[in-house]
Amino acid sequence: MSSTDIEEVRNKQVILRDYVYGFPKESDMHVGDSKIKLKVPEGSSAVLVKNLYLSCDPYQRTRMKKIEDGGRIVSFTPGSPLTGFGVAKVLDSGHANFKEGDLVWGLTGWEEYSLINSTESLFKIQHTDVPLSYYTGLLGMPGLTAYVGFYEVASPKKGEYVFVSAASGAVGQLVGQFAKLLGCYVVGSAGSKEKVDLLKNKFGFDEAFNYKEEQDLVAALKRYFPEGIDIYFENVGGKTLDAVLLNMRDHGRIAVCGMISQYNLDEFEGIKNLIHIIYKRVLVQGFSVTDYYHLYPKFLEFVLPQIREGKIVYVEDTAEGLENGPAALVGLFSGRNVGKQVIVVAHE
Amino acid sequence: MSSTDIEEVRNKQVILRDYVYGFPKESDMHVGDSKIKLKVPEGSSAVLVKNLYLSCDPYQRTRMKKIEDGGRIVSFTPGSPLTGFGVAKVLDSGHANFKEGDLVWGLTGWEEYSLINSTESLFKIQHTDVPLSYYTGLLGMPGLTAYVGFYEVASPKKGEYVFVSAASGAVGQLVGQFAKLLGCYVVGSAGSKEKVDLLKNKFGFDEAFNYKEEQDLVAALKRYFPEGIDIYFENVGGKTLDAVLLNMRDHGRIAVCGMISQYNLDEFEGIKNLIHIIYKRVLVQGFSVTDYYHLYPKFLEFVLPQIREGKIVYVEDTAEGLENGPAALVGLFSGRNVGKQVIVVAHE
């Protein structure tokens, strides 16, 4: 059967209308219909997938604006569907590593079906005794991010004082649990009482606080860290970072994963206390999970038994249906989500 | 002879009047007379020295203000002489490692004679075929700072693009020469035409510019680094740092040695482009030479032959007499000095 004979099916998509400035709104995206053939073009090494779960991640905000020189980070294309991490089922494959029926996670489109040409960021899912959606979070990009950011970038030692911001998020909740497993003292900040309760009662943080209720973040950190902070896992930037800099210990480390408080600003906030990295000989390391994919098998080996034994738990916030994708994504920036924000596109 | 019988001699001193805020002035210090016995008290393990050269260093500005929590950095004591690095001759010693006649460099007082109780930061000078004053700079604290900041902190590789600010200063001029020796491309910034000429014609920088003549530092850096910056050796902070952040390459490194542009400000300037350390996975490392004194012998072994062969040169700016100490120190902050600022207290 030649590809021209194959029937096209409807393909619902979440499309970016135009570059976004300021706080993103649901109306910056629209849900539209396209057509797609459920076959890989002849001779191509692409993979055709049915998307099951999509991941809402803060870094996607950056891709919504026109980026002049963001290194490896490239803008979304207005008029086209968003892309991001997701879990999908292979319907057809021109690539030797993937075959029909395989479950995969990696970079895909915000649509029902995607033709994936760049298979180098696609991982075959081998373990299905855990929730499939975990491969958008705990067992996917955010999980590996937490793992490498904490263990590789922050060089943690037992007994050290660890602070995590956006601590109930997709990455933060894991950093805190990893730190506890290693025997660190861990404090997290989050933006609601519900999240603070989760940090203390579900994820086992030693302490947690609602940053919105603190008039003076410097004083709050001094209260929780009278001896200072050895490791700061940075997810938010801005005022929190400035307050942390005044509370670091000698030879402290700041693993810079994200700065969500800055993504919607036209002009970034100025950080005033950087001079303290000289006084305290602090290391500040920006990192990206994309440099650490080779550690994914090692990460799985570490984390899967912990999940099975209940030593690592994970909280997801699930939106049903692609239609609810825009609201779910936008909600990250007001902190509406509790835990990892996932979109269910289809239940297999 | 009991110590009570020993005659006291006059001891000229540079004394801090009070904590300093804003731009330091000569009148923040005064030159006064004290008395001192040129003998170590009986039973003490201190060393009594005659100071020959004193070093003017930007970090001393920080010690002029009241520091609440500067880690290892402690304030000077108003009403007492300043302290700092210097070259001195031992007149009497209660310590087994030092004897009368020894030449030493390390932490001493801004005065003619000093009783040094903390001998752990005193190094015996073994090589006198080079100018003695070099032990305040090239062969002292600033030299070791340049060496460890470049080779240990910045992890340089041949062919990399290196930017140095305050590049004609005590540390900067060496960083540039070390980078050239390794085969890097090096650009320096400084604050006058004379200094820019020195960088290009004496120290062998590939390019140099006067930051005071650049309207747009971001554009200037793009001009000199069309491919971006691999290593930034940070001596100034503020606007220069912000412009550098926009010009870093993937996996770039910023060795943070000092931020002289900020030392006289009541409130530090805000740095707005830190988010680029995520995009480019940049390492920002604050460091202090005090953590690297164990490398001093290795440094000497490396640098002495280079000096003798004329492969490393050093420019000093010399003030004669303790009376001229306050003006020399204050001059660092207006960039009056050309090269390493030294005060000659006595010619042996």
Side-chain angles (χ1 to χ4, degrees):
Chain A
M1 180 165 74
S2 108
S3 67
T4 48
D5 302 329
I6 298 161
E7 210 185 327
E8 290 188 319
V9 300
R10 187 201 66 166
N11 191 20
K12 210 188 294 178
Q13 301 181 312
V14 176
I15 292 163
L16 183 70
R17 288 185 199 273
D18 201 352
Y19 294 121
V20 176
Y21 298 92
F23 204 95
K25 305 175 297 296
E26 282 186 55
S27 60
D28 290 325
M29 293 155 272
H30 71 96
V31 179
D33 274 354
S34 171
K35 294 273 184 192
I36 189 167
K37 290 179 183 172
L38 298 184
K39 271 283 180 207
V40 166
E42 252 171 275
S44 151
S45 61
V47 172
L48 194 290
V49 302
K50 177 183 181 188
N51 292 309
L52 306 176
Y53 299 98
L54 292 173
S55 175
C56 293
D57 294 298
Y59 83 91
Q60 293 176 297
R61 172 64 189 88
T62 305
R63 301 189 60 194
M64 288 177 144
K65 64 182 163 196
K66 199 173 171 66
I67 304 170
E68 302 291 341
D69 179 23
R72 76 207 180 287
I73 301 176
V74 290
S75 302
F76 290 137
T77 309
S80 292
L82 276 64
T83 60
F85 288 91
V87 171
K89 188 170 201 164
V90 176
L91 299 185
D92 188 29
S93 172
H95 196 289
N97 291 356
F98 303 96
K99 64 173 200 304
E100 191 188 330
D102 280 352
L103 291 164
V104 294
W105 75 267
L107 278 178
T108 186
W110 277 40
E111 54 196 351
E112 290 176 284
Y113 304 99
S114 295
L115 182 69
I116 301 176
N117 290 297
S118 310
T119 47
E120 63 272 16
S121 51
L122 223 47
F123 297 81
K124 208 138 106 179
I125 292 174
Q126 316 277 9
H127 306 275
T128 54
D129 61 328
V130 289
L132 257 190
S133 59
Y134 277 13
Y135 288 92
T136 66
L138 169 49
L139 295 172
M141 183 277 284
L144 185 60
T145 299
Y147 178 78
V148 302
F150 184 64
Y151 288 108
E152 300 289 319
V153 176
S155 312
K157 287 185 284 293
K158 186 179 171 175
E160 285 195 318
Y161 302 110
V162 177
F163 177 52
V164 187
S165 55
S168 69
V171 174
Q173 55 177 297
L174 291 173
V175 174
Q177 293 180 77
F178 292 158
K180 285 312 300 173
L181 282 175
L182 190 68
C184 297
Y185 168 84
V186 192
V187 178
S189 64
S192 74
K193 184 179 181 309
E194 181 186 6
K195 293 177 183 179
V196 167
D197 288 346
L198 263 184
L199 293 177
K200 290 202 277 196
N201 303 324
K202 186 156 182 87
F203 302 131
F205 283 60
D206 294 287
E207 294 285 351
F209 65 89
N210 180 348
Y211 70 91
K212 291 176 181 168
E213 288 185 351
E214 297 292 340
Q215 294 296 313
D216 181 343
L217 280 172
V218 176
L221 289 171
K222 274 203 199 310
R223 203 165 67 229
Y224 290 110
F225 295 97
E227 309 281 329
I229 297 167
D230 291 300
I231 293 174
Y232 172 45
F233 197 101
E234 165 68 303
N235 289 313
V236 302
K239 290 172 186 63
T240 301
L241 175 56
D242 237 351
V244 164
L245 287 166
L246 289 173
N247 281 282
M248 291 300 290
R249 299 185 87 189
D250 280 359
H251 302 291
R253 287 134 271 149
I254 300 181
V256 186
C257 176
M259 295 189 174
I260 196 172
S261 74
Q262 306 297 295
Y263 298 165
N264 302 316
L265 304 179
D266 289 336
E267 190 175 12
F268 299 128
E269 285 179 274
I271 300 297
K272 297 194 169 165
N273 296 319
L274 268 180
I275 205 166
H276 288 262
I277 73 174
I278 309 178
Y279 300 161
K280 305 293 179 69
R281 296 91 98 206
V282 171
L283 174 142
V284 184
Q285 174 75 67
F287 73 99
S288 165
V289 67
T290 53
D291 292 327
Y292 295 94
Y293 280 149
H294 60 283
L295 293 180
Y296 185 65
K298 189 179 160 201
F299 162 61
L300 276 191
E301 207 173 295
F302 165 80
V303 83
L304 279 169
Q306 309 274 7
I307 299 171
R308 291 173 183 139
E309 292 166 28
K311 288 182 183 161
I312 294 269
V313 296
Y314 202 61
V315 170
E316 294 178 333
D317 194 329
T318 306
E320 280 287 335
L322 258 185
E323 309 69 37
N324 293 312
L329 181 56
V330 165
L332 289 181
F333 301 97
S334 59
R336 204 190 62 168
N337 60 306
V338 177
K340 166 67 194 168
Q341 182 66 59
V342 185
I343 302 162
V344 185
V345 184
H347 294 273
E348 277 207 62
Chain B
M1 181 162 75
S2 108
S3 68
T4 50
D5 302 331
I6 298 161
E7 211 183 329
E8 291 188 320
V9 300
R10 187 200 66 167
N11 191 20
K12 212 189 290 178
Q13 301 180 311
V14 176
I15 291 163
L16 181 70
R17 288 185 199 273
D18 201 353
Y19 294 122
V20 175
Y21 298 92
F23 204 95
K25 305 174 298 297
E26 283 186 55
S27 60
D28 290 325
M29 293 156 270
H30 71 97
V31 180
D33 274 355
S34 170
K35 295 273 183 190
I36 189 169
K37 289 179 183 173
L38 298 184
K39 271 283 179 206
V40 166
E42 251 169 276
S44 151
S45 61
V47 173
L48 193 287
V49 301
K50 179 184 182 187
N51 292 307
L52 305 176
Y53 298 98
L54 292 174
S55 175
C56 295
D57 294 297
Y59 82 90
Q60 293 176 297
R61 172 64 189 89
T62 305
R63 301 189 60 193
M64 288 178 144
K65 65 182 162 195
K66 198 173 173 67
I67 304 170
E68 302 291 340
D69 179 24
R72 74 207 181 286
I73 301 176
V74 290
S75 302
F76 290 138
T77 308
S80 292
L82 275 64
T83 61
F85 288 90
V87 171
K89 188 170 201 165
V90 176
L91 300 185
D92 188 28
S93 172
H95 195 289
N97 290 358
F98 303 96
K99 62 174 201 301
E100 191 186 330
D102 279 351
L103 290 164
V104 294
W105 75 267
L107 278 179
T108 186
W110 278 41
E111 54 196 349
E112 291 177 283
Y113 305 98
S114 294
L115 182 69
I116 301 176
N117 289 299
S118 311
T119 48
E120 62 272 18
S121 53
L122 223 48
F123 295 82
K124 208 140 109 179
I125 293 175
Q126 316 276 8
H127 306 274
T128 53
D129 61 328
V130 288
L132 257 190
S133 59
Y134 276 12
Y135 289 93
T136 66
L138 169 48
L139 295 172
M141 183 277 285
L144 184 60
T145 299
Y147 177 78
V148 301
F150 183 65
Y151 288 107
E152 301 287 321
V153 177
S155 313
K157 288 185 284 292
K158 185 178 172 176
E160 285 194 319
Y161 302 111
V162 178
F163 176 54
V164 187
S165 55
S168 70
V171 174
Q173 56 177 295
L174 291 173
V175 174
Q177 293 179 78
F178 292 156
K180 285 314 299 172
L181 283 175
L182 190 68
C184 296
Y185 168 84
V186 192
V187 179
S189 64
S192 74
K193 185 180 180 309
E194 181 186 8
K195 293 177 184 179
V196 166
D197 288 345
L198 262 185
L199 292 177
K200 290 201 276 197
N201 303 326
K202 187 156 182 90
F203 303 130
F205 283 60
D206 294 286
E207 294 285 353
F209 64 89
N210 180 349
Y211 70 91
K212 291 176 182 169
E213 287 183 352
E214 297 292 342
Q215 295 295 313
D216 181 343
L217 280 172
V218 176
L221 288 171
K222 274 202 200 312
R223 203 164 68 231
Y224 290 110
F225 295 97
E227 310 281 329
I229 298 166
D230 290 301
I231 292 175
Y232 173 45
F233 197 100
E234 164 68 303
N235 289 314
V236 303
K239 290 174 186 60
T240 302
L241 175 55
D242 238 351
V244 165
L245 287 166
L246 288 173
N247 281 282
M248 290 301 290
R249 300 185 88 190
D250 281 358
H251 302 291
R253 288 135 271 149
I254 301 181
V256 186
C257 175
M259 294 191 174
I260 194 172
S261 74
Q262 305 297 297
Y263 298 165
N264 302 317
L265 304 180
D266 290 335
E267 190 174 10
F268 298 129
E269 284 179 274
I271 300 299
K272 296 193 170 165
N273 296 320
L274 269 181
I275 205 165
H276 288 260
I277 72 174
I278 308 178
Y279 300 160
K280 304 294 179 68
R281 295 91 100 205
V282 171
L283 174 141
V284 183
Q285 174 76 67
F287 73 98
S288 164
V289 67
T290 53
D291 293 327
Y292 295 93
Y293 281 149
H294 61 283
L295 294 180
Y296 185 64
K298 189 179 159 200
F299 163 62
L300 276 191
E301 206 174 294
F302 165 80
V303 83
L304 280 168
Q306 309 274 7
I307 298 171
R308 290 173 185 137
E309 291 165 29
K311 288 183 184 162
I312 294 271
V313 296
Y314 203 61
V315 170
E316 293 178 334
D317 195 329
T318 305
E320 281 286 334
L322 258 185
E323 311 66 39
N324 292 312
L329 181 56
V330 166
L332 289 182
F333 301 97
S334 60
R336 203 189 65 168
N337 59 308
V338 177
K340 167 68 196 168
Q341 181 66 58
V342 184
I343 302 163
V344 185
V345 184
H347 293 273
E348 279 207 61

